[in-house]
Amino acid sequence: MAEIVQYQLERMVGELEDLERLGLFSKVELKAIVKKRTKFEYSLRRRHVAASSFLRYIAYEMNVEALRKQRAQRILKHGPRKHTLSDHSITQRIISLYERALVRHGNTAALWEQYIAFVSAQRNGADDDQGYARLLAQVYARAIARHPRCERLWVMAAAHEIERKADGSAARALLLRGLRVNKGSRVLWSECIRLEVLLVERIRARRRVLGIDGADTKAEREAEAEADEDGTIRLDALDGEATSGDKEDAIGERVLAAEFARITPGKLTPAQHADQSAERNAFLQGAVVQLVFTQAIQALPKDLAFRQECASLLRTSGLLSVHSH
Protein backbone atom coordinates (compact mmCIF):
# COMPACT_ATOMS: atom_id res chain seq x y z
CA MET A 1 0.00 0.00 0.00
CA ALA A 2 2.74 2.48 0.99
CA GLU A 3 4.62 1.86 -2.26
CA ILE A 4 1.56 2.63 -4.38
CA VAL A 5 0.83 5.81 -2.44
CA GLN A 6 4.45 6.88 -2.75
CA TYR A 7 4.28 6.30 -6.50
CA GLN A 8 1.19 8.53 -6.77
CA LEU A 9 2.94 11.26 -4.76
CA GLU A 10 6.09 11.08 -6.88
CA ARG A 11 4.02 11.73 -9.98
CA MET A 12 3.04 15.09 -8.47
CA VAL A 13 6.62 16.38 -8.11
CA GLY A 14 6.77 18.13 -11.48
CA GLU A 15 3.47 19.87 -10.86
CA LEU A 16 4.44 21.03 -7.37
CA GLU A 17 7.78 22.40 -8.62
CA ASP A 18 5.97 24.27 -11.39
CA LEU A 19 3.48 25.79 -8.95
CA GLU A 20 6.33 27.00 -6.74
CA ARG A 21 8.37 28.34 -9.67
CA LEU A 22 5.42 30.38 -10.92
CA GLY A 23 4.83 31.76 -7.43
CA LEU A 24 1.28 30.41 -7.28
CA PHE A 25 1.79 28.54 -3.99
CA SER A 26 4.34 28.93 -1.21
CA LYS A 27 6.44 26.06 0.14
CA VAL A 28 4.28 25.95 3.25
CA GLU A 29 1.11 25.70 1.16
CA LEU A 30 2.60 23.00 -1.04
CA LYS A 31 3.59 20.93 2.01
CA ALA A 32 0.02 21.21 3.25
CA ILE A 33 -1.27 20.06 -0.17
CA VAL A 34 1.07 17.06 -0.18
CA LYS A 35 0.00 16.13 3.35
CA LYS A 36 -3.66 16.32 2.41
CA ARG A 37 -3.17 14.31 -0.78
CA THR A 38 -1.23 11.66 1.11
CA LYS A 39 -4.11 11.27 3.55
CA PHE A 40 -6.61 10.98 0.70
CA GLU A 41 -4.47 8.44 -1.18
CA TYR A 42 -4.22 6.19 1.87
CA SER A 43 -7.99 6.41 2.37
CA LEU A 44 -8.53 5.16 -1.20
CA ARG A 45 -6.35 2.07 -0.58
CA ARG A 46 -8.72 0.48 1.88
CA ARG A 47 -10.53 -2.73 1.00
CA HIS A 48 -13.93 -1.03 1.00
CA VAL A 49 -13.93 2.58 -0.19
CA ALA A 50 -17.19 4.54 -0.32
CA ALA A 51 -17.93 6.79 -3.27
CA SER A 52 -17.98 9.71 -0.84
CA SER A 53 -14.24 9.19 -0.17
CA PHE A 54 -13.48 9.74 -3.84
CA LEU A 55 -15.83 12.72 -4.00
CA ARG A 56 -14.15 14.41 -1.01
CA TYR A 57 -10.77 14.03 -2.71
CA ILE A 58 -12.22 15.40 -5.96
CA ALA A 59 -13.80 18.35 -4.14
CA TYR A 60 -10.46 19.16 -2.52
CA GLU A 61 -8.65 19.08 -5.88
CA MET A 62 -11.34 21.30 -7.40
CA ASN A 63 -10.76 23.85 -4.64
CA VAL A 64 -7.00 23.75 -5.24
CA GLU A 65 -7.54 24.24 -8.96
CA ALA A 66 -9.93 27.14 -8.38
CA LEU A 67 -7.33 28.84 -6.17
CA ARG A 68 -4.59 28.17 -8.74
CA LYS A 69 -6.66 29.76 -11.51
CA GLN A 70 -7.46 32.77 -9.35
CA ARG A 71 -3.79 33.40 -8.60
CA ALA A 72 -2.77 32.69 -12.21
CA GLN A 73 -5.10 35.47 -13.37
CA ARG A 74 -3.15 37.95 -11.24
CA ILE A 75 0.07 36.91 -12.94
CA LEU A 76 -1.50 37.34 -16.38
CA LYS A 77 -2.18 40.99 -15.57
CA HIS A 78 1.57 41.54 -15.83
CA GLY A 79 1.69 39.98 -19.30
CA PRO A 80 1.03 36.65 -21.06
CA ARG A 81 2.99 33.52 -20.22
CA LYS A 82 3.46 30.10 -21.76
CA HIS A 83 1.29 27.23 -20.63
CA THR A 84 3.06 24.88 -18.26
CA LEU A 85 2.46 21.52 -16.57
CA SER A 86 0.38 22.90 -13.70
CA ASP A 87 -2.13 24.48 -16.11
CA HIS A 88 -3.69 21.09 -16.75
CA SER A 89 -2.22 18.62 -14.24
CA ILE A 90 -4.85 19.14 -11.52
CA THR A 91 -7.69 18.79 -14.03
CA GLN A 92 -6.15 15.56 -15.29
CA ARG A 93 -5.85 14.32 -11.69
CA ILE A 94 -9.55 14.99 -11.13
CA ILE A 95 -10.38 13.04 -14.30
CA SER A 96 -8.17 10.21 -13.04
CA LEU A 97 -9.96 10.24 -9.70
CA TYR A 98 -13.35 9.97 -11.40
CA GLU A 99 -12.06 7.04 -13.43
CA ARG A 100 -10.77 5.34 -10.28
CA ALA A 101 -14.08 5.96 -8.55
CA LEU A 102 -16.04 4.43 -11.42
CA VAL A 103 -13.96 1.24 -11.28
CA ARG A 104 -15.47 0.62 -7.83
CA HIS A 105 -18.77 2.47 -8.15
CA GLY A 106 -19.67 2.28 -11.83
CA ASN A 107 -23.17 1.14 -10.89
CA THR A 108 -23.91 4.58 -9.45
CA ALA A 109 -25.51 6.63 -12.23
CA ALA A 110 -25.19 9.87 -10.25
CA LEU A 111 -21.40 9.47 -10.26
CA TRP A 112 -21.39 9.22 -14.05
CA GLU A 113 -23.52 12.37 -14.22
CA GLN A 114 -21.06 14.27 -12.02
CA TYR A 115 -18.16 13.10 -14.18
CA ILE A 116 -20.00 14.22 -17.32
CA ALA A 117 -20.73 17.61 -15.76
CA PHE A 118 -17.07 18.09 -14.86
CA VAL A 119 -15.70 17.18 -18.31
CA SER A 120 -18.37 19.31 -19.98
CA ALA A 121 -17.35 22.30 -17.87
CA GLN A 122 -13.72 21.93 -18.98
CA ARG A 123 -14.73 22.52 -22.60
CA ASN A 124 -15.58 26.14 -21.89
CA GLY A 125 -12.47 28.09 -22.76
CA ALA A 126 -10.19 25.07 -22.77
CA ASP A 127 -7.22 25.06 -25.12
CA ASP A 128 -7.75 21.37 -25.83
CA ASP A 129 -11.46 21.70 -26.55
CA GLN A 130 -11.48 18.88 -29.12
CA GLY A 131 -9.70 16.58 -26.68
CA TYR A 132 -12.35 17.20 -24.04
CA ALA A 133 -15.07 16.80 -26.68
CA ARG A 134 -13.80 13.33 -27.54
CA LEU A 135 -13.49 12.41 -23.85
CA LEU A 136 -17.02 13.66 -23.17
CA ALA A 137 -18.45 11.58 -26.01
CA GLN A 138 -16.63 8.50 -24.68
CA VAL A 139 -17.88 9.06 -21.13
CA TYR A 140 -21.47 9.48 -22.36
CA ALA A 141 -21.21 6.23 -24.34
CA ARG A 142 -19.74 4.33 -21.39
CA ALA A 143 -22.32 5.75 -18.98
CA ILE A 144 -25.25 4.77 -21.19
CA ALA A 145 -23.78 1.32 -21.82
CA ARG A 146 -23.55 0.83 -18.03
CA HIS A 147 -26.97 2.38 -17.32
CA PRO A 148 -29.14 1.94 -20.43
CA ARG A 149 -32.31 2.26 -18.36
CA CYS A 150 -31.35 5.60 -16.87
CA GLU A 151 -33.58 7.97 -18.83
CA ARG A 152 -31.74 11.04 -17.59
CA LEU A 153 -28.47 9.92 -19.23
CA TRP A 154 -30.20 9.52 -22.61
CA VAL A 155 -31.71 12.99 -22.27
CA MET A 156 -28.37 14.52 -21.26
CA ALA A 157 -26.61 12.85 -24.20
CA ALA A 158 -29.21 14.08 -26.69
CA ALA A 159 -29.01 17.59 -25.21
CA HIS A 160 -25.23 17.48 -25.65
CA GLU A 161 -25.59 16.66 -29.34
CA ILE A 162 -28.14 19.38 -30.06
CA GLU A 163 -26.80 22.14 -27.80
CA ARG A 164 -23.05 21.63 -28.12
CA LYS A 165 -22.86 20.32 -31.68
CA ALA A 166 -26.17 21.44 -33.22
CA ASP A 167 -26.57 17.87 -34.51
CA GLY A 168 -30.30 17.17 -34.54
CA SER A 169 -29.91 13.83 -36.33
CA ALA A 170 -27.53 12.49 -33.68
CA ALA A 171 -29.78 13.73 -30.87
CA ARG A 172 -32.80 12.07 -32.48
CA ALA A 173 -30.91 8.80 -32.97
CA LEU A 174 -29.95 8.73 -29.29
CA LEU A 175 -33.50 9.29 -28.11
CA LEU A 176 -34.86 6.60 -30.45
CA ARG A 177 -32.28 4.11 -29.17
CA GLY A 178 -33.22 5.09 -25.65
CA LEU A 179 -36.83 4.26 -26.44
CA ARG A 180 -35.88 0.83 -27.75
CA VAL A 181 -34.40 0.01 -24.36
CA ASN A 182 -36.94 1.94 -22.28
CA LYS A 183 -40.20 1.10 -24.02
CA GLY A 184 -43.06 3.31 -22.95
CA SER A 185 -40.81 5.91 -21.34
CA ARG A 186 -42.85 9.07 -20.81
CA VAL A 187 -39.68 11.10 -20.31
CA LEU A 188 -38.02 10.01 -23.56
CA TRP A 189 -41.15 10.38 -25.69
CA SER A 190 -41.61 13.87 -24.28
CA GLU A 191 -38.00 14.75 -25.14
CA CYS A 192 -38.45 13.36 -28.67
CA ILE A 193 -41.36 15.70 -29.25
CA ARG A 194 -39.54 18.67 -27.73
CA LEU A 195 -36.52 17.96 -29.92
CA GLU A 196 -38.57 17.88 -33.13
CA VAL A 197 -40.33 21.12 -32.18
CA LEU A 198 -36.95 22.71 -31.49
CA LEU A 199 -35.56 21.61 -34.87
CA VAL A 200 -38.53 23.05 -36.74
CA GLU A 201 -38.30 26.33 -34.83
CA ARG A 202 -34.56 26.62 -35.49
CA ILE A 203 -34.96 26.09 -39.22
CA ARG A 204 -37.85 28.54 -39.35
CA ALA A 205 -35.75 31.13 -37.51
CA ARG A 206 -32.79 30.55 -39.84
CA ARG A 207 -34.97 30.98 -42.90
CA ARG A 208 -36.35 34.23 -41.51
CA VAL A 209 -32.84 35.55 -40.91
CA LEU A 210 -31.73 34.52 -44.40
CA GLY A 211 -34.88 35.95 -45.94
CA ILE A 212 -35.85 32.59 -47.44
CA ASP A 213 -39.50 32.36 -48.40
CA GLY A 214 -39.59 29.45 -50.80
CA ALA A 215 -36.99 27.26 -52.43
CA ASP A 216 -33.91 26.28 -50.48
CA THR A 217 -30.67 28.13 -51.04
CA LYS A 218 -27.30 26.46 -51.52
CA ALA A 219 -26.00 28.16 -48.38
CA GLU A 220 -28.85 26.78 -46.29
CA ARG A 221 -28.39 23.25 -47.60
CA GLU A 222 -24.68 23.36 -46.85
CA ALA A 223 -25.37 24.69 -43.35
CA GLU A 224 -27.77 21.82 -42.65
CA ALA A 225 -25.44 19.18 -44.08
CA GLU A 226 -22.49 20.40 -42.02
CA ALA A 227 -21.82 18.12 -39.05
CA ASP A 228 -18.94 17.82 -36.63
CA GLU A 229 -17.99 14.15 -36.47
CA ASP A 230 -15.37 14.81 -33.79
CA GLY A 231 -16.89 14.18 -30.39
CA THR A 232 -19.96 12.30 -31.64
CA ILE A 233 -21.41 9.84 -29.12
CA ARG A 234 -21.13 6.33 -30.56
CA LEU A 235 -22.89 3.41 -28.88
CA ASP A 236 -22.49 -0.33 -29.32
CA ALA A 237 -25.43 -2.71 -28.97
CA LEU A 238 -27.05 -2.36 -25.54
CA ASP A 239 -28.68 -4.87 -23.22
CA GLY A 240 -32.43 -4.75 -23.65
CA GLU A 241 -32.30 -3.09 -27.06
CA ALA A 242 -34.78 -4.37 -29.64
CA THR A 243 -33.47 -7.25 -31.77
CA SER A 244 -34.67 -8.70 -35.06
CA GLY A 245 -36.63 -11.23 -33.02
CA ASP A 246 -38.73 -8.45 -31.51
CA LYS A 247 -40.71 -8.04 -34.73
CA GLU A 248 -43.35 -5.54 -33.68
CA ASP A 249 -40.89 -3.13 -32.08
CA ALA A 250 -38.25 -3.50 -34.83
CA ILE A 251 -40.78 -2.88 -37.62
CA GLY A 252 -42.12 0.19 -35.81
CA GLU A 253 -38.60 1.59 -35.49
CA ARG A 254 -37.86 0.99 -39.17
CA VAL A 255 -41.06 2.74 -40.24
CA LEU A 256 -40.28 5.70 -38.02
CA ALA A 257 -36.69 5.86 -39.31
CA ALA A 258 -37.92 5.67 -42.91
CA GLU A 259 -40.31 8.57 -42.33
CA PHE A 260 -37.49 10.64 -40.83
CA ALA A 261 -35.23 9.84 -43.78
CA ARG A 262 -37.96 10.81 -46.26
CA ILE A 263 -39.00 14.19 -44.92
CA THR A 264 -36.15 15.42 -42.70
CA PRO A 265 -33.99 18.02 -44.55
CA GLY A 266 -30.68 16.78 -43.22
CA LYS A 267 -31.28 13.35 -44.80
CA LEU A 268 -31.73 14.64 -48.37
CA THR A 269 -28.94 14.90 -50.90
CA PRO A 270 -28.38 18.25 -52.67
CA ALA A 271 -29.82 16.78 -55.91
CA GLN A 272 -33.02 15.70 -54.17
CA HIS A 273 -33.68 19.14 -52.70
CA ALA A 274 -34.65 20.60 -56.06
CA ASP A 275 -37.53 18.13 -56.50
CA GLN A 276 -38.66 17.83 -52.89
CA SER A 277 -39.90 21.25 -51.81
CA ALA A 278 -43.14 19.55 -50.76
CA GLU A 279 -41.26 17.43 -48.25
CA ARG A 280 -39.47 20.52 -46.93
CA ASN A 281 -42.77 22.30 -46.47
CA ALA A 282 -44.14 19.22 -44.72
CA PHE A 283 -41.23 19.28 -42.30
CA LEU A 284 -41.65 22.99 -41.56
CA GLN A 285 -45.35 22.48 -41.00
CA GLY A 286 -44.58 19.81 -38.42
CA ALA A 287 -44.88 16.49 -40.29
CA VAL A 288 -42.15 14.85 -38.21
CA VAL A 289 -43.54 16.37 -35.01
CA GLN A 290 -46.98 14.97 -35.82
CA LEU A 291 -45.45 11.58 -36.57
CA VAL A 292 -43.61 11.43 -33.25
CA PHE A 293 -46.69 12.69 -31.40
CA THR A 294 -48.81 9.93 -32.96
CA GLN A 295 -46.23 7.28 -32.09
CA ALA A 296 -46.02 8.62 -28.54
CA ILE A 297 -49.73 8.51 -27.80
CA GLN A 298 -49.87 4.99 -29.27
CA ALA A 299 -47.05 3.95 -26.93
CA LEU A 300 -48.75 5.63 -23.94
CA PRO A 301 -52.48 5.24 -24.73
CA LYS A 302 -53.66 5.57 -21.13
CA ASP A 303 -51.56 8.58 -20.15
CA LEU A 304 -54.01 11.42 -20.68
CA ALA A 305 -51.85 13.93 -18.79
CA PHE A 306 -48.94 13.20 -21.15
CA ARG A 307 -51.16 13.72 -24.20
CA GLN A 308 -52.45 17.04 -22.84
CA GLU A 309 -48.91 18.21 -21.99
CA CYS A 310 -47.63 17.42 -25.49
CA ALA A 311 -50.70 18.89 -27.18
CA SER A 312 -50.15 22.11 -25.24
CA LEU A 313 -46.55 22.26 -26.43
CA LEU A 314 -47.54 21.69 -30.05
CA ARG A 315 -50.38 24.22 -29.83
CA THR A 316 -47.98 26.85 -28.47
CA SER A 317 -45.57 26.23 -31.35
CA GLY A 318 -48.36 26.22 -33.92
CA LEU A 319 -47.67 22.62 -34.94
CA LEU A 320 -50.78 20.89 -33.59
CA SER A 321 -52.85 19.35 -36.38
CA VAL A 322 -56.53 18.59 -36.03
CA HIS A 323 -55.65 15.06 -37.13
CA SER A 324 -53.68 14.56 -33.91
CA HIS A 325 -56.67 14.77 -31.59
Side-chain angles (χ1 to χ4, degrees):
M1 179 186 294
E3 291 81 2
I4 298 175
V5 172
Q6 185 62 32
Y7 170 72
Q8 292 291 345
L9 295 175
E10 287 175 356
R11 295 178 62 190
M12 305 174 190
V13 172
E15 168 199 322
L16 298 172
E17 291 177 345
D18 192 43
L19 290 171
E20 183 180 5
R21 181 180 62 80
L22 294 173
L24 296 176
F25 289 89
S26 67
K27 286 186 177 181
V28 173
E29 289 174 320
L30 291 174
K31 286 182 180 179
I33 290 174
V34 171
K35 183 177 180 180
K36 195 73 172 178
R37 287 176 174 174
T38 301
K39 183 178 179 181
F40 278 125
E41 287 294 337
Y42 273 108
S43 71
L44 299 186
R45 296 298 162 185
R46 297 169 184 163
R47 184 179 298 274
H48 301 290
V49 184
S52 58
S53 297
F54 286 99
L55 293 177
R56 280 194 293 270
Y57 194 174
I58 290 170
Y60 175 75
E61 292 294 341
M62 285 182 174
N63 288 334
V64 172
E65 175 64 358
L67 182 57
R68 184 201 67 79
K69 286 183 176 180
Q70 185 181 44
R71 294 179 176 180
Q73 285 298 319
R74 297 175 187 172
I75 294 177
L76 288 176
K77 291 180 180 179
H78 302 291
R81 67 174 179 83
K82 293 182 179 180
H83 284 275
T84 59
L85 175 63
S86 61
D87 287 315
H88 57 79
S89 59
I90 299 177
T91 298
Q92 292 303 314
R93 179 173 298 103
I94 294 171
I95 289 173
S96 176
L97 285 170
Y98 271 117
E99 291 288 347
R100 290 165 66 184
L102 288 168
V103 170
R104 290 175 177 259
H105 302 283
N107 290 330
T108 305
L111 186 58
W112 285 100
E113 292 180 19
Q114 290 183 48
Y115 187 16
I116 288 169
F118 175 76
V119 177
S120 182
Q122 304 316 302
R123 293 194 61 191
N124 298 322
D127 294 320
D128 187 21
D129 184 74
Q130 291 303 316
Y132 284 119
R134 288 190 293 271
L135 174 60
L136 186 57
Q138 293 167 7
V139 176
Y140 266 121
R142 289 165 55 203
I144 290 174
R146 192 69 177 267
H147 298 278
R149 299 196 180 280
C150 179
E151 298 166 323
R152 179 173 167 79
L153 285 173
W154 289 102
V155 173
M156 289 171 61
H160 162 75
E161 293 289 359
I162 191 65
E163 294 171 5
R164 287 280 192 168
K165 301 173 70 256
D167 192 341
S169 296
R172 178 188 296 131
L174 281 168
L175 291 176
L176 288 178
R177 289 195 67 178
L179 282 167
R180 291 177 193 153
V181 179
N182 302 278
K183 300 177 179 65
S185 169
R186 190 180 194 275
V187 171
L188 293 180
W189 274 118
S190 179
E191 288 302 318
C192 274
I193 294 172
R194 291 179 187 280
L195 171 64
E196 297 304 333
V197 170
L198 174 63
L199 294 178
V200 171
E201 291 178 342
R202 284 191 174 184
I203 292 178
R204 284 177 173 177
R206 180 194 300 164
R207 290 169 71 85
R208 285 195 297 270
V209 171
L210 296 176
I212 301 172
D213 189 27
D216 305 333
T217 66
K218 180 179 179 182
E220 187 190 19
R221 292 197 300 270
E222 290 176 349
E224 288 170 355
E226 187 175 319
D228 179 14
E229 291 296 327
D230 195 18
T232 298
I233 301 171
R234 306 181 190 283
L235 298 174
D236 294 327
L238 303 172
D239 292 339
E241 195 167 10
T243 63
S244 57
D246 194 352
K247 293 183 179 179
E248 183 178 353
D249 182 74
I251 291 173
E253 291 293 347
R254 285 199 295 271
V255 170
L256 190 57
E259 286 297 310
F260 284 141
R262 183 178 68 83
I263 60 181
T264 303
K267 296 293 184 180
L268 303 178
T269 65
Q272 290 173 319
H273 273 274
D275 300 323
Q276 297 192 357
S277 59
E279 282 82 354
R280 167 54 62 87
N281 289 335
F283 175 81
L284 293 175
Q285 291 169 9
V288 174
V289 177
Q290 296 293 333
L291 174 64
V292 176
F293 182 42
T294 300
Q295 293 279 328
I297 60 179
Q298 288 176 359
L300 302 166
K302 298 181 180 180
D303 196 335
L304 181 59
F306 170 76
R307 184 179 301 197
Q308 292 174 334
E309 176 187 321
C310 293
S312 176
L313 172 64
L314 301 188
R315 190 178 297 109
T316 302
S317 61
L319 296 173
L320 183 64
S321 167
V322 295
H323 301 295
S324 299
H325 293 289

